[in-house]
Amino acid sequence: MATTQTKVARASSIALRALSYFFLRWALIPWVPAAVLTLFAIYVPSFIAGYLNEPKYNVTEEVDVVVTEAIVPPEEPVRSNGAKKRKGATDPAVPAVNGINPEDEVVAEKITITDRITTEKRPLNPLKTLLSGAPNPRSLALSLATFGINLALVSSIADRLFREHSYTAHDLSFVRPGFVSENEAKILIREPDQSKMPVTVEVRLKEPEAPFENSRWQSAGGVRWTNNETDYTSVVSVPLRRHSKPKIYLWRTSNNHTGEFIAPPGVGHALSAVDPPFTFLSTSCIVNRLPYSPFDHPLAIPGLRHLAKLLPSLDAQFMLFLGDFIYSDVPKFWGKTVEDYRQKYRQVYASPDWAAVGQNLSWIHVLDDHEIYNDWDSNTTGIYEAAVNPWNLYNAAANPPPAKKAGTNSLRKSATYYEFTQGPASFFLLDTRTHRDKNSEPATKEDKTMLGPEQLEDFLAWLKKPEPKGVNWKIVASSVPFTKNWQVNTRDTWGGFLSERQKILEAMWDAGLRGTGVVILSGDRHEFAATKFPPPEDGRWPPTVAVHEFSTSPLSQFYSPIPSYRQTDKDDVKIKYINGGNSKFGAITLLNLEEGDQGSLKYRLFIDGKEAWNTMIVSPPPVGEEGGVGGSDGHVSTYPWSFLEFYQNSNKREPEDVKLAYFGAEAAQNPPTISYEDVMRDDKAVGELTKKIKENGFVFVKATPFSDPTDTEKLLERIAFIRVTHYGGFYDFTPDLAMADTAYTNLALPAHTDTTYFSDPAGLQAFHLLSHTGPSESLGSAAEGGKSLLVDGFHAASILKGEDAQAYEVLASVRLPWHASGNEGITISPDKRYPVLEVDEDNGELMRVRWNNDDRGVVPFGEEFTPLEWYGAARKWDEILRRKEVEVWIQLTPGSVLVFDNWRVLHGRSAFQGVRRICGGYINRDDFISRWRNTNFERTEILNRIIG
């Protein structure tokens, strides 16, 4: 049994490891380091004492007890008067006890006790030692190893806690773009080295368009000196000329910093299809070195690395950062002075991961609690002034202009909230910390405010303000979520300020009536949620004016493994919720629809460097009528709300989810079948028939009457009308060479597809063997041969791709001429050249096989691959088609109709003797797919899919 010291060591070790993992990999809770150090202080002496006092052996004690009995004869009895008594006589003076005469013989018991003590070595249990952290008296190496694990964890905690704090970054020199408007770009410069003064800024267009633009560097101003009053920072305003579309500018400074920024299009400007769309980013919350890695730089910010990889592909105008740019109180609140707060900002900008995104993207900032202290609700008292000093210097100084006073065009210069208009949107950046009432006050209190009276007045005036033509969105930036669906610490969100929230919502719905969509972007919760705020059903607003919120964070911080967002009523409707991911940001793309009266907003969510979800919404129609969209001629088209709702969130047509079942030679033993009688009687059976063809590539219709080919014709017409070609419509033929086609012979035919020479090859093909007679009944010859061959072209293509990817690419790339010109007066060729393997442009999947060597023209020169390369690929393809394992050989019989997908399945036959009578026909692909859809899916689902 373990000693008390070992038990204490084990318990403190387990607690230490659990807390260390939580701190280093999940959340930098400030009290955890102290707890870990305390546990380690308990662990060390108990570990040492446990190792020294814990026995190396297990001691066992065995005790054997042996009891033996002996008969002892009594001495010769004597009477009480001294005379000897006769043996067996009873002395009346001595009574019997319990029936035993005391003068009889006595039984004596002998007890032998043996005590055996043995020792054995205790089990080594290396895994238990390493996992628990307890000392192992049998192995010094294991004990040191498990002790080393705890020492490493404590060292990591100390490294994470203290090492970053040693980086004061006093000598930090950096430059970043701030707010960029049509005619001005703000550039923030920090340069403490006065020997580099003055710092000058130069800019030039990255891709100038002649003749009015040039690529020469142009001086744009600079900084003559800096001092400690502003922590050696200054802002340079760079004048820009206005452009009708976004323009990328390169910038450089004399203190060796470079980067770029994007100048926005004109206000309300509707971008053309060739221009990059108006895109900006949104997120919040940065903390360095989480999850912790001992190999990272102390100021490393993993989330910025994800952003840096994606940034070149996003064409983003700016980053709208929604607060918690620093964490003053994480992992430790080091102090309350201005310098303590300034150091935190310098550490972010000194991060090795900052330059890639900070120098090549405009950043706009909103204030939140951790720039001051967690859940700050004390207005401008206490540490507020010390906290906002560096926030103003490093972030706000390069922000957009302050908001306008309600009812005027004058700026509210003292405001810590901002507004601006760019491209198709107007923005209002709220300050949710400086003016709020105490969180502890009741959420429903009538006059409880988060914004304060002035900011609320200015904000409501902005919501009410009409926007210029082409500005279809009002974007509200709030550092805390607008929804009340977060169940943890709801009082710190707008869920704790419900009366003021309702006033704002009503103003937002009113903006929707004027044709402006309102979207709220928020952060703070280290999770993602998309929420819709529909107007009340019995109110004066139509459903189209619903407000949407996208709450996204962190850019680089912990996330909650336990979901904390839950819809509780119809007021805040959950659209999407994702809690996982240490790095999240949203990319918001705005486009003006034709005529500029409405706009679309596409939101893409990126988690840990990958796109995880997206949606699209459309701004409300500008006409007050419900569901009405007005045209310039006064006509109004009316759409059901359900229609608009669906297409707000369905911005592309998704194909049906069909799992293809590839087949090979084994399919001959158990081919897919269906009954003729069922198909002719019931549309449900038609659905099963078309489903089997879609999934398996072919089907046999059993028990089909064969005395009259008309029955087969009626069967095919249950699917769709029969396609008429130069062969006619429904065919009924024998090998009589009525047409100049090898099908009208008795020769063997290799695997091929039909009608390769049409722009739209036949979708389905059907064969019904009506009869097969011998070549000469007078000679008694029997009918022989004529087995049908089927090959799954998609399966063969997958084999080709796996064995020779280049051959697959050649056959999918080289476009060939196809033709049908064997009959007099007929020369058919498709609208353009097509490859053997046709790939869907949208999803890259194989969609159609064209393969008939008798219909192929000359392999062209001038393609990506040479004719020699094509013939090499074709040889490999042909070899695969002839493999026994992919060939399905089936003898057709009267009464069994074969129907197959001509876009997928190649067919052929063996040579035969005698006379075969075959009937069948072609069916168009589009007609087949229509029949398949309408017999396998609900009509609403079909319409929703195909209209998109």
Side-chain angles (χ1 to χ4, degrees), residues 78 88 108 129 597 810 824 933 942:
V78 180
T129 299
D597 289 333
V810 169
E824 187 69 26
R933 281 180 173 145
I942 298 170

Side-chain angles (χ1 to χ4, degrees), residues 470-728:
V471 177
N472 297 310
W473 298 98
K474 287 182 182 285
I475 309 294
V476 179
S478 171
S479 66
V480 295
F482 200 72
T483 179
K484 59 182 184 300
N485 284 351
W486 260 290
Q487 305 303 307
V488 178
N489 199 21
T490 310
R491 68 180 192 171
D492 191 56
T493 72
W494 281 96
F497 299 77
L498 294 178
S499 295
E500 188 172 51
R501 189 185 94 134
Q502 186 61 28
K503 293 177 187 176
I504 293 170
L505 267 176
E506 292 178 3
M508 290 176 172
W509 294 329
D510 285 341
L513 289 176
R514 295 185 291 274
T516 305
V518 180
V519 170
I520 303 165
L521 301 176
S522 64
D524 184 65
R525 306 306 295 212
H526 301 196
E527 300 169 275
F528 169 79
T531 310
K532 182 171 72 172
F533 305 92
E537 295 179 0
D538 56 350
R540 58 188 175 88
W541 302 276
T544 49
V545 303
V547 175
H548 292 78
E549 177 184 29
F550 300 99
S551 186
T552 311
S553 65
L555 179 56
S556 195
Q557 243 284 24
F558 77 90
Y559 67 89
S560 171
I562 302 172
S564 62
Y565 175 99
R566 179 169 54 87
Q567 181 179 335
T568 58
D569 55 35
K570 295 181 180 180
D571 297 336
D572 297 28
V573 179
K574 170 187 170 183
I575 299 174
K576 186 70 175 178
Y577 169 64
I578 302 175
N579 60 312
N582 289 105
S583 177
K584 306 185 192 75
F585 70 88
I588 300 95
T589 298
L590 306 177
L591 284 173
N592 282 348
L593 305 181
E594 288 187 22
E595 303 296 329
D597 289 333
Q598 283 185 276
S600 67
L601 182 151
K602 182 174 183 179
Y603 188 94
R604 289 176 290 163
L605 172 67
F606 293 88
I607 299 181
D608 295 334
K610 296 180 180 179
E611 185 170 346
W613 180 76
N614 69 75
T615 190
M616 180 179 287
I617 57 177
V618 178
S619 63
V623 180
E625 272 186 67
E626 181 171 324
V629 179
S632 58
D633 59 355
H635 173 75
V636 175
S637 298
T638 303
Y639 300 91
W641 295 124
S642 57
F643 175 91
L644 296 173
E645 178 70 19
F646 177 83
Y647 287 103
Q648 283 181 355
N649 299 292
S650 302
N651 57 328
K652 61 182 179 180
R653 186 168 76 185
E654 295 287 351
E656 291 86 357
D657 185 16
V658 179
K659 189 172 183 180
L660 302 182
Y662 290 168
F663 66 82
E666 74 287 345
Q669 308 304 317
N670 187 28
T673 63
I674 194 168
S675 160
Y676 171 86
E677 183 180 353
D678 289 344
V679 173
M680 300 304 293
R681 183 184 63 243
D682 186 8
D683 274 2
K684 185 176 181 181
V686 176
E688 185 179 351
L689 168 73
T690 55
K691 183 179 180 182
K692 287 179 183 288
I693 298 172
K694 191 76 170 68
E695 294 179 351
N696 299 286
F698 72 101
V699 69
F700 282 95
V701 184
K702 295 294 188 178
T704 303
F706 55 89
S707 60
D708 184 352
T710 305
D711 293 315
T712 306
E713 184 176 11
K714 291 178 179 177
L715 169 68
L716 298 183
E717 289 174 342
R718 287 287 289 153
I719 302 174
F721 67 85
I722 295 171
R723 179 171 178 171
V724 177
T725 70
H726 55 298
Y727 296 112

